[in-house]
Amino acid sequence: KNEVEQSPQNLTAQEGEFITINCSYSVGISALHWLQQHPGGGIVSLFMLSSGKKKHGRLIATINIQEKHSSLHITASHPRDSAVYICAVRSPGNQFYFGTGTSLTVIP
Amino acid sequence: EAGVAQSPRYKIIEKRQSVAFWCNPISGHATLYWYQQILGQGPKLLIQFQNNGVVDDSQLPKDRFSAERLKGVDSTLKIQPAKLEDSAVYLCASSPSGQITDTQYFGPGTRLTVL
């Protein structure tokens, strides 16, 4: 069983829809990262969270430390949001654990 | 600000051959990471450098993989000899100080195919 589980694995949405991607983890963490990976492999770090909620444009990330759960929300989704979204956690002992990613396709 | 640079972008080799990847992190970033991402999986940390010292190489297959960051700037990752299961994208990332809450900046990756 992976230390980091994401759901769903694949997601197709119509342009404009509100999207939620979930991440659950089983280890103690110091920080949780949401990453965006576009076709071709480039990865961009979207958020780093250790508590609460962060917002950047149409993206919102939340984390519940007690429940070991984080969500990434995309409001008013757009085809350019199509990418793989990866949840990654870093333990206090500096170990990294990555989810397998959620592949998002936004259809015009 | 220039991003993390990696080369080559693509490499195809036969099994048992050797291969090397190069990474130039963002200027001034003390911490450099190498990740292996097998198709359909999330990235796996291979090695983390803080300046030119190794912080974590617990998941690096040391019988065939080696990495160095001699001057605390750019880094090379070598595989010798390569196996079929080494086919993956090798990602390099850097962060300013390596603190747990640092943002990592990723390079475009090197896609390795071992035949």
Side-chain angles (χ1 to χ4, degrees):
Chain A
K1 186 182 185 301
N2 288 338
E3 290 84 357
V4 180
E5 298 280 355
Q6 287 184 237
S7 65
Q9 278 192 309
N10 297 285
L11 180 58
T12 301
Q14 287 291 133
E15 183 174 357
E17 284 187 8
F18 180 84
I19 290 163
T20 296
I21 299 171
N22 295 299
C23 173
S24 297
Y25 52 92
S26 58
V27 295
I29 70 167
S30 296
L32 181 144
H33 298 258
W34 280 103
L35 309 171
Q36 181 191 55
Q37 185 170 31
H38 283 284
I43 291 182
V44 173
S45 180
L46 298 174
F47 293 104
M48 187 283 301
L49 294 163
S50 53
S51 65
K53 175 180 173 178
K54 285 191 176 179
K55 184 176 189 293
H56 181 71
R58 296 181 293 105
L59 302 178
I60 303 167
T62 64
I63 187 169
N64 186 318
I65 297 295
Q66 287 73 31
E67 294 185 4
K68 294 189 173 181
H69 181 269
S70 175
S71 293
L72 176 68
H73 306 285
I74 305 175
T75 61
S77 59
H78 190 276
R80 63 175 174 267
D81 298 326
S82 297
V84 175
Y85 292 84
I86 300 171
C87 173
V89 301
R90 189 166 182 170
S91 74
N94 204 40
Q95 292 276 25
F96 282 95
Y97 303 95
F98 288 80
T100 54
T102 295
S103 179
L104 170 65
T105 302
V106 180
I107 300 171
Chain B
E1 176 182 82
V4 176
Q6 288 188 248
S7 68
R9 290 297 310 277
Y10 304 92
K11 189 74 177 178
I12 300 174
I13 61 172
E14 294 185 339
K15 60 182 179 183
R16 291 188 288 273
Q17 284 188 320
S18 301
V19 64
F21 312 127
W22 174 81
C23 172
N24 189 12
I26 292 174
S27 177
H29 280 196
T31 310
L32 185 148
Y33 311 82
W34 281 103
Y35 294 91
Q36 180 194 58
Q37 186 176 23
I38 294 172
L39 187 65
Q41 299 181 18
K44 180 180 85 170
L45 178 67
L46 294 176
I47 190 167
Q48 177 184 345
F49 290 97
Q50 184 73 14
N51 296 309
N52 60 349
V54 175
V55 172
D56 182 359
D57 63 356
S58 57
Q59 297 195 82
L60 186 74
K62 297 180 185 65
D63 58 334
R64 297 184 300 106
F65 286 64
S66 64
E68 59 183 15
R69 193 185 184 199
L70 291 176
K71 296 182 180 179
V73 181
D74 53 356
S75 174
T76 55
L77 175 70
K78 296 179 182 177
I79 308 175
Q80 182 180 9
K83 293 185 176 181
L84 296 176
E85 58 261 36
D86 298 332
S87 294
V89 174
Y90 291 84
L91 295 161
C92 178
S94 70
S95 66
S97 62
Q99 291 188 20
I100 285 172
T101 53
D102 260 2
T103 294
Q104 292 187 32
Y105 298 83
F106 285 82
T110 295
R111 184 176 298 275
L112 173 67
T113 302
V114 182
L115 304 175

